[in-house]
Amino acid sequence: MTPLLEIRDLWIEGRSDEDWHPIINGVDLTLGRGEVLGLIGESGAGKSTLGLAAMGYVRDGVRISGGSVRFDGLDLIHASTEEKRSLLGRRIAYVAQSAAASFNPAHKLIDQHVEAPVRHGVQDRGESVEDAIELYHKLRLPNPEEIGFRYPHQVSGGQLQRAMTAMAMSCRPDLIIFDEPTTALDVTTQIEVLAAIRDIVDQFGTSAIYITHDLAVVAQMADRIKVLLRGDEVETATTRAMLEHPREEYTKSLWAVRGFERPEKPAPGPDSVPILSVDGVTAAYGEQVVLEEVSFDIHPGRTVAVVGESGSGKSTTARVITGLLPPRGGAVRFEGAPLPPGYRQRSKDQLRQIQMIYQMADTALNPRQSIAQIIGRPVRFYSGLRGRRLRARVDELLEQIELDPAIFRDRLPGELSGGQKQRVGIARALAAEPRLIICDEVTSALDQLVAEGILRLLARLQDELGLSYMFITHDLATVKAIADEVVVMKEGRVIEQGPKTAMFTPPHHPYTDLLLSSVPEMDPDWLDRLLAERGVEALGEQAADKM
Amino acid sequence: MGSVIRIVLQRLALGLLTLLIVSAVIFGAVNLLPGDFAQAVLGQSATPEAVAAIRTQLGLDQSLPVRYAGWLWDAARGDLGVSFAQANFASFTGRVDPSATVLAQIAPRFANTMFLAGVTAAIAVPLAVGLGILAALWRDTAFDKGANIATLSSISSPEFFVAYILILLLAVVNPVLPSLSNIFPGMSFGERLEKTLLPALTLTLVVTAHMMRMTRAAILNLMAQPYIEMARLKGMRPLHVILRHALPNALAPIVNVIALNLAYLVTGVVVVEVVFVYPGIGQLFVDSVKLRDIPVVQACCLIFAAAYILLNLTADILSILSNPRLRHPK
């Protein structure tokens, strides 16, 4: 029997300006019926491009320059538009990374669900609606009878991701491409989605290509794993073989990446004055209270990690500290002296002391300014340097973040990689010569190798400059790597706080335990074990609780 | 739904406030116009006593705020005053000819203008939006470029030029439509429509470009969205993708440009009215300015302002309604 999907020596190119540069270099891929193939690599490895090519689809500015893609015997590269269109959505379906962005905000979920079956003539609307409700049941969505009749913005991220999987299943396709379906989700939500996807793919015997950069995730989902690096295949093996005996150096380096861990610094002395005290802060957006009685201290030279799921109030706490959101109650003290609630009432020196680094280096840097301008602006503002001395200071900052000034000074952000952009964000924060830097999910948009480089840089800067960090993150591996103290937040309250070693040693607060146990492990049986421990029913209830 | 009603009420209140401010500006500006009705009517040789008598009779000797308050109060009750020019000084004898009120002057003209605007909108809006959709569907093809060039050249030509070209083509060389649009009360709808068609076509050529280009741009702006890619990956046809997935999300900017152009049809069509001798409000306005017939000028300005505000308000409200986040809060 022929394999369902057979890709031979596929070459894909993308255009930047006038030049075509390679994205995929002669990759082979074979997928049997009912098989799940994991596709793994860093960003820029060509995973998504390859996944889409398996559907015979390329994005604008991308072209297939050689090779073949055969789906069930049909040559997708030379097939007519009409032939391909009749396959898409019916026999090959796609699940995108961000369900929130991939559902049309103007239509109800159910209307988007029935579109493929109705338009392809597989089912009429009534049948498809009934089928959708059944699929929602199978995917353990809360209120399966009604949830489809909501608009995307009325449904949470994890539920949307499952609804999108249901939509992909609507025509019972032979093949589904999952393109990083859980990357944007919290760890606790991720588990529900992973379990739901795996069950339904099993039930219908659907073949799948599962694209991700998270090894631990792919270990739960795939029968076989293919590792990509800059458009080249590194190696392919069954999941267990790959985990136990990775052959190539690159694969081994991916496996070892979570190795960085900083020893916890000794506890501050009893008379140490915290550099920042958040004292009983309550804050609200309009009527909605989002922070309640939040208190914690950050001592000089130390790193406090604030962890929690999205919506737990981590970033809002940062907004209160920086004065963007004046609190409704409580106070923020800097070295014992209360800070004015709004940033407009703060002195230049007070502003200088606390700086911020953002999650999306892409959007936090002005794309039309050179790196020297971006870093030079706070230098001029806070220290008043001009001319040659300004330039010397900018170069010094660039050296501190390990970027060669001669190369990077005049570049634009668009010419930098994600990790380099984040370094520029760090230099911009350093330019003010602050005592405290708030890092808001600074590594969560980066690949693990790059993220580790950023964490090492931050650790080095802390040692050299005596900085304090408030580290907002939902990634517990990051916490393990860099934190001295941990503050766990949920629904606007601090649930638990303490030194890192204590937090990672049982017994935990139940919520901390849930967070910790939800981090995927590099063990193909981890998800099964966890589901067995928690019980699938409990998962369903948990989903219902989140409503 | 409650929040939508609240927003709509807020907008309405804001619209009324804007109208109030605009009315003050109009009143102030019109009274700053150089010249004086009494002087204009009586001519250069009038005695100062005669001029003063007329001024007293018309209330022009009172202070500006007092006159504004009186005018506003009357206008709010629907009484826009008496036309100076048409009054024929009947008021000297204490009688006001009903046909001399500003309302009687303006009403038929305004109805004509609305008729012309309505006919134009009925042709131009579907045409522009349709062309915009097709241009987005077939972007960078000959059709897209052709539509762009055609609409841009028509918007770049002066209105009177477009009008005379259309008269030449459709009334002189191929006499299918009348070149004069002298409509009058008692005409049947069909006759009116026939007489209005040429000016309406002229205006269509003037307003289509904006709306078409905005439709095209607003749709293309969305084509890189993940939900558009998702629709394509479900095997949907390009036209279906645009109509069902892009257009509903592109409505807000399109509706706003449509509103601006419709407002232009009510307030900015003097040149076309003159060319076709169409008895609309624009001509009345120009005549009244010449005569310093202040009540009529003020009333026209007020109507123009109200049309602008009302249409933009409608666009605002429609944009709000096109946003499912507001229609269906969490």
Side-chain angles (χ1 to χ4, degrees), chain A residues 250-537:
Chain A
Y250 175 71
T251 316
K252 286 179 193 160
S253 80
L254 280 178
W255 265 229
V257 83
R258 284 166 184 250
F260 176 60
E261 186 173 339
R262 222 174 170 219
E264 185 184 316
K265 291 190 257 322
D271 46 350
S272 157
V273 178
I275 192 150
L276 187 90
S277 297
V278 177
D279 190 2
V281 163
T282 298
Y285 291 117
E287 290 299 299
Q288 200 186 0
V289 176
V290 284
L291 288 183
E292 268 182 88
E293 295 286 319
V294 170
S295 299
F296 59 88
D297 291 339
I298 303 177
H299 286 271
R302 296 175 69 81
T303 302
V304 173
V306 179
V307 296
E309 302 178 42
S310 50
S312 60
K314 307 184 301 274
S315 294
T316 309
T317 310
R319 288 173 62 85
V320 170
I321 294 171
T322 51
L324 288 170
L325 179 71
R328 195 167 274 191
V332 178
R333 273 187 268 281
F334 192 83
E335 296 189 314
L339 286 172
Y343 70 93
R344 283 195 186 80
Q345 298 122 31
R346 295 185 184 177
S347 71
K348 208 176 198 180
D349 196 54
Q350 284 172 329
L351 291 174
R352 187 177 66 80
Q353 303 286 5
I354 305 175
Q355 293 293 313
M356 231 177 133
I357 311 173
Y358 302 89
Q359 173 173 9
M360 290 297 184
D362 264 332
T363 49
L365 303 180
N366 186 332
R368 302 226 175 243
Q369 289 187 348
S370 71
I371 302 308
Q373 284 174 308
I374 290 171
I375 302 175
R377 155 94 190 137
V379 174
R380 252 198 354 245
F381 181 75
Y382 287 114
S383 65
L385 294 180
R386 294 279 188 281
R388 198 177 312 142
R389 289 174 60 205
L390 172 66
R391 191 181 156 97
R393 175 72 180 130
V394 168
D395 286 357
E396 189 189 342
L397 285 165
L398 280 172
E399 272 157 21
Q400 274 185 337
I401 55 162
E402 297 156 13
L403 294 181
D404 184 352
I407 299 174
F408 288 97
R409 199 188 292 123
D410 299 317
R411 290 213 178 160
L412 294 173
E415 299 169 291
L416 270 53
S417 73
Q420 288 167 343
K421 277 185 242 182
Q422 198 53 283
R423 281 166 191 262
V424 172
I426 294 173
R428 179 172 60 182
L430 290 179
E433 299 177 35
R435 303 279 312 279
L436 171 72
I437 298 184
I438 300 174
C439 305
D440 190 355
E441 303 270 12
V442 289
T443 55
S444 49
L446 302 172
D447 291 313
Q448 291 175 26
L449 273 174
V450 182
E452 194 196 323
I454 297 283
L455 292 182
R456 285 183 192 277
L457 172 69
L458 287 169
R460 207 200 76 217
L461 291 168
Q462 181 166 51
D463 294 341
E464 286 174 15
L465 306 171
L467 296 167
S468 307
Y469 294 136
M470 172 176 155
F471 218 96
I472 297 173
T473 182
H474 67 269
D475 179 23
L476 292 161
T478 309
V479 176
K480 231 174 201 165
I482 199 161
D484 298 312
E485 270 131 281
V486 183
V487 175
V488 182
M489 290 188 73
K490 189 193 184 196
E491 288 160 11
R493 294 167 185 274
V494 173
I495 296 259
E496 194 179 14
Q497 57 178 314
K500 171 171 73 174
T501 32
M503 298 295 286
F504 281 98
T505 325
H508 311 290
H509 181 280
Y511 180 69
T512 312
D513 194 55
L514 177 71
L515 278 183
L516 286 174
S517 65
S518 300
V519 179
E521 286 167 24
M522 212 84 88
D523 168 2
D525 302 321
W526 167 78
L527 185 59
D528 292 322
R529 228 176 35 235
L530 186 79
L531 292 177
E533 275 170 25
R534 291 190 188 169
V536 173
E537 290 313 309

Side-chain angles (χ1 to χ4, degrees), chain A residues 29-43:
Chain A
L29 186 155
T30 310
L31 185 70
R33 288 166 207 272
E35 189 185 24
V36 177
L37 175 74
L39 213 50
I40 188 155
E42 300 173 47
S43 56

Side-chain angles (χ1 to χ4, degrees), chain B residues 96-115:
Chain B
V96 177
D97 179 2
S99 74
T101 62
V102 173
L103 212 56
Q105 289 279 303
I106 288 183
R109 298 297 198 101
F110 184 64
N112 288 345
T113 292
M114 291 307 285
F115 186 72

Side-chain angles (χ1 to χ4, degrees), chain A residues 226-238:
Chain A
K226 184 188 282 290
V227 183
L228 287 182
L229 172 64
R230 280 182 229 111
D232 290 303
E233 177 179 327
V234 178
E235 63 177 304
T236 307
T238 62

Side-chain angles (χ1 to χ4, degrees), chain B residues 236-323:
Chain B
M236 298 298 118
R237 286 170 195 287
L239 184 63
H240 177 84
V241 170
I242 284 183
L243 290 181
R244 174 130 180 102
H245 290 279
L247 196 59
N249 294 292
L251 279 181
I254 298 174
V255 166
N256 272 297
V257 166
I258 290 178
L260 273 180
N261 279 286
L262 293 188
Y264 170 80
L265 289 180
V266 177
T267 62
V269 296
V270 177
V271 174
V272 173
E273 286 182 10
V274 170
V275 171
F276 292 99
V277 203
Y278 188 89
I281 202 168
Q283 281 211 53
L284 175 68
F285 179 59
V286 172
D287 292 344
S288 308
V289 171
K290 274 193 232 152
L291 281 171
R292 308 278 182 271
D293 192 347
I294 290 172
V296 178
V297 173
Q298 283 168 344
C300 286
C301 286
L302 202 63
I303 286 174
F304 290 165
Y308 241 99
I309 292 170
L310 195 69
L311 281 163
N312 279 299
L313 196 70
T314 315
D316 263 9
I317 291 171
L318 285 178
S319 317
I320 292 168
L321 289 181
S322 81
N323 183 345

